[in-house]
Amino acid sequence: VNFAGITIAPLIYPENFEIKIGFDQIRSLIKEHCLFGPGKQKVDNTLFVTDFNHLKDLLEQTAEFKEICLFEDSFPSDNYHDLTAGLQKARVEGTYLEVEEIYDLRRSLDTVKGILRFFKNTPPEKYPRLKKLVVSVKYYTYVDDRIDAILSKQGKIRDNASPSLKQIRGEIVQKQASAGKRLQSLLKKAIEDGYIEKDTAISIRNGRQVIPVPVSNKRRIGGIIHDESATGRTAYVEPAEVVELNNEIMELELAEIREIIKILIAFTNSIRPYIDDLLVTCDFLGTIDFNRAKALFAITINAGLPAVINGTGF
């Protein structure tokens, strides 16, 4: 069985040829070792190879990766993310990458950096076929810098991603603290007056800070009733004294969302000229994943590099 890559020529072989020789099962077994979608797609797209030199390249790539899997500890095998759909979407002016897509982009680029570093740090004579794949990869630190400017290490939009966002978030914190203090004061008084139990705590309903109150006492705390418990024994009341403050917080949170979208649009605009190269990088990760999957499968069945002869006779 040839694990290098196989192409079915529809004009020569019947459509069910793979099934007859059992190669469809081999595809499935190799795909089980893939880390993400593009690697699996390359398994599905693999066709029979008739060019001898290309065949040797593919076979030796797999053999080299088998050696990596067996004897190397530092080859990156985490954070393979399929970025194709997001990057294709981002080609269109006015669209933007979501926060999670940018986070996946950064983690994938870190993986690519790790792969490039791995091959750079190995002796020149090691893994020559796989090193040829690296030539197609263009790595731009500009993209890294732009991501780091707006995203924290945890994948959240930084407070200082823009001056406006920093101001909005500062006001939200300030008003939430004011609302919290006022609610705590009202809660303490309600406990002292015997309207609610001592262990009662401020809750959240519909995005608003509220006080849980026994239904029989819900009119004693003037305000808006946002919800009741499943048992119907507790009402969740937003005191009138904090309604306006909570309204201001909600308006600020909407302003925060609008500002984040502006930041994401500006970021996407800034990296749009690099999308073609980023897509090549995604394809490179898919090729690495494909080779790794073939190598792992070869290890599971104790397969070795086959000897091939450039000829037509037997």
Side-chain angles (χ1 to χ4, degrees):
V1 176
N2 177 2
F3 305 118
I6 297 194
T7 308
I8 297 176
L11 298 179
I12 300 174
Y13 299 102
E15 289 184 3
N16 64 345
F17 179 69
E18 278 201 15
I19 297 173
K20 284 193 170 185
I21 66 172
F23 195 77
D24 60 321
Q25 297 176 44
I26 293 175
R27 282 190 193 274
S28 297
L29 291 169
I30 293 174
K31 283 168 73 173
E32 289 178 6
H33 294 286
C34 288
L35 296 169
F36 73 148
K40 294 178 181 180
Q41 189 64 48
K42 286 189 178 289
V43 177
D44 289 334
N45 292 343
T46 299
L47 304 173
F48 278 98
V49 175
T50 56
D51 180 271
F52 179 76
N53 291 326
H54 183 43
L55 174 62
K56 284 210 60 160
D57 274 346
L58 294 174
L59 285 169
E60 289 178 14
Q61 284 173 14
T62 305
E64 288 177 7
F65 223 113
K66 183 182 172 186
E67 184 178 344
I68 289 173
C69 292
L70 289 172
F71 304 112
E72 304 280 4
D73 297 325
S74 59
F75 194 89
S77 58
D78 295 320
N79 290 318
Y80 285 62
H81 298 283
D82 187 2
L83 310 169
T84 308
L87 290 172
Q88 292 287 12
K89 171 193 68 176
R91 287 182 184 277
V92 181
E93 197 77 30
T95 62
Y96 59 89
L97 292 170
E98 302 285 352
V99 173
E100 186 61 32
E101 290 173 325
I102 298 172
Y103 188 43
D104 287 345
L105 175 60
R106 183 172 68 186
R107 289 187 291 172
S108 292
L109 291 177
D110 285 344
T111 298
V112 172
K113 274 196 294 188
I115 293 171
L116 298 181
R117 192 182 309 116
F118 172 86
F119 286 122
K120 182 180 179 181
N121 292 338
T122 56
E125 68 276 7
K126 292 194 76 174
Y127 316 125
R129 304 283 179 168
L130 290 173
K131 285 177 178 176
K132 285 183 180 179
L133 300 176
V134 175
V135 176
S136 65
V137 180
K138 295 180 181 178
Y139 197 92
Y140 297 99
T141 56
Y142 173 81
V143 178
D144 275 344
D145 293 342
R146 289 293 300 125
I147 294 174
D148 289 341
I150 67 168
L151 223 59
S152 70
K153 290 183 178 180
Q154 293 73 37
K156 306 298 182 184
I157 293 290
R158 294 181 181 275
D159 290 348
N160 62 352
S162 77
S164 294
L165 184 64
K166 186 175 182 179
Q167 179 182 347
I168 290 167
R169 286 184 171 176
E171 290 182 25
I172 289 174
V173 170
Q174 183 181 8
K175 290 184 182 296
Q176 284 176 335
S178 297
K181 286 180 181 178
R182 187 59 189 143
L183 277 168
Q184 287 292 349
S185 175
L186 293 168
L187 179 65
K188 182 180 178 182
K189 186 175 188 307
I191 291 172
E192 290 173 351
D193 292 343
Y195 300 156
I196 58 180
E197 296 179 3
K198 290 183 179 180
D199 59 350
T200 302
I202 292 170
S203 185
I204 301 291
R205 286 295 184 276
N206 302 322
R208 317 280 285 201
Q209 296 184 81
V210 295
I211 297 176
V213 183
V215 169
S216 58
N217 293 329
K218 65 183 180 182
R219 300 299 177 193
R220 290 178 178 270
I221 298 180
I224 300 170
I225 299 172
H226 282 277
D227 196 8
E228 287 190 0
S229 64
T231 61
R233 295 177 181 176
T234 304
Y236 296 91
V237 180
E238 180 183 15
E241 295 178 46
V242 297
V243 169
E244 186 57 35
L245 199 52
N246 280 339
N247 284 342
E248 291 174 8
I249 291 170
M250 186 165 288
E251 289 174 5
L252 284 167
E253 288 172 344
L254 292 172
E256 178 187 20
I257 293 170
R258 290 192 295 270
E259 182 61 23
I260 287 173
I261 290 173
K262 284 173 62 177
I263 291 167
L264 296 178
I265 289 174
F267 167 81
T268 306
N269 288 343
S270 72
I271 69 157
R272 188 166 287 120
Y274 302 90
I275 285 179
D276 285 341
D277 288 327
L278 290 172
L279 287 168
V280 170
T281 300
C282 293
D283 186 68
F284 166 73
L285 272 184
T287 301
I288 290 294
D289 187 32
F290 179 35
N291 277 292
R292 178 181 177 276
K294 287 187 292 180
L296 290 172
F297 175 62
I299 291 170
T300 61
I301 63 171
N302 198 28
L305 178 66
V308 290
I309 299 172
N310 189 11
T312 57
F314 293 93

